[in-house]
Amino acid sequence: VKQLTTGVGGLLKSNDVTVVYGEAQMATETTILCDGKTYEAASTILCGGSKASVIPIPGVESKNVLLSTEMLQLDVLPKSLIVIGGGVIGCEMAVAFNSFGSKVTIIEALDRIAATMDGEVSDAMLKSLKKSGIDIHVSQKVERIEDLSDGQVAVHFGDGKSVTGDKVLLSIGRVCELECLGSLKDSIRTERGKVVV
């Protein structure tokens, strides 16, 4: 990452691009506020990025429930990890932590993992994940998450079953980060949380 960011930084500098570090938001169509300073621009490209999506599951506020960015900041490997969401990021994290030695369980609400991919790809991934020792539960809706007295966390399904682990990764997709719109948030047209272009 350092090599990539240093390379991009070098390209920006050699092309006389001024880089300002900070949290930026639109104030008007031609004015940007960043850490107390104002910048004028005839045109602006919005590059707010994305953030992990969170759904209102009872217990999701537990300190044992983490998003993908927080998972990468752990300094202690969980002995067991429950991944809510069998999409691309959920499967990627499951494989990584399984390789590190965690006992991993994936819970997916749809009838197959990696549901946005072709069925044959999804089937091949399922076989590979199971072969590596990852437990997978499909067609399971998570009803609630519960902190247990022994420090573990339980994830309860709609059918009454549950699984327990040290940590839970909530990986149900990503949504657009629209804070960069600032005061224009209400005047710029959006659909389903995305800017219409």
Side-chain angles (χ1 to χ4, degrees):
V1 169
K2 186 176 182 182
Q3 183 180 2
L4 290 172
T5 56
T6 302
V8 171
L11 287 170
L12 290 168
K13 187 175 182 179
S14 66
N15 285 282
D16 296 323
V17 176
T18 301
V19 178
V20 177
Y21 294 95
E23 295 284 326
Q25 292 185 337
M26 299 299 297
T28 69
E29 289 183 9
T30 58
T31 308
I32 301 151
L33 295 177
C34 183
D35 291 345
K37 293 185 179 177
T38 303
Y39 299 87
E40 295 287 333
S43 300
T44 303
I45 299 173
L46 299 172
C47 301
S50 66
K51 60 184 177 181
S53 181
V54 178
I55 53 175
I57 303 170
V60 76
E61 68 284 346
S62 165
K63 64 178 175 55
N64 289 317
V65 178
L66 307 173
L67 302 175
S68 56
T69 304
E70 297 163 332
M71 283 298 300
L72 297 174
Q73 295 170 348
L74 287 177
D75 53 10
V76 176
L77 183 69
K79 290 180 182 175
S80 53
L81 173 66
I82 302 165
V83 180
I84 298 175
V88 175
I89 296 173
C91 288
E92 183 178 43
M93 290 289 206
V95 168
F97 278 84
N98 181 62
S99 299
F100 298 153
S102 297
K103 175 60 183 155
V104 179
T105 302
I106 297 175
I107 302 167
E108 172 56 52
L110 299 176
D111 62 353
R112 61 187 178 100
I113 60 164
T116 58
M117 295 185 174
D118 184 81
E120 290 180 6
V121 174
S122 181
D123 291 343
M125 283 181 62
L126 179 66
K127 287 176 187 172
S128 177
L129 293 171
K130 283 187 172 181
K131 188 176 180 181
S132 68
I134 296 173
D135 290 333
I136 299 173
H137 301 269
V138 294
S139 301
Q140 288 288 2
K141 184 180 177 188
V142 174
E143 288 291 316
R144 63 187 175 93
I145 300 168
E146 175 187 15
D147 283 322
L148 303 176
S149 58
D150 61 0
Q152 287 203 310
V153 61
V155 176
H156 299 277
F157 304 153
D159 64 4
K161 295 177 184 175
S162 64
V163 292
T164 59
D166 294 321
K167 297 289 181 190
V168 173
L169 166 62
L170 185 62
S171 181
I172 55 162
R174 299 187 68 81
V175 294
C176 292
E177 176 58 87
L178 298 179
E179 290 301 312
C180 63
L181 296 180
S183 63
L184 301 186
K185 199 169 190 175
D186 293 331
S187 61
I188 291 179
R189 195 161 66 99
T190 60
E191 285 180 7
R192 297 192 304 273
K194 298 173 184 176
V195 175
V196 176
V197 296

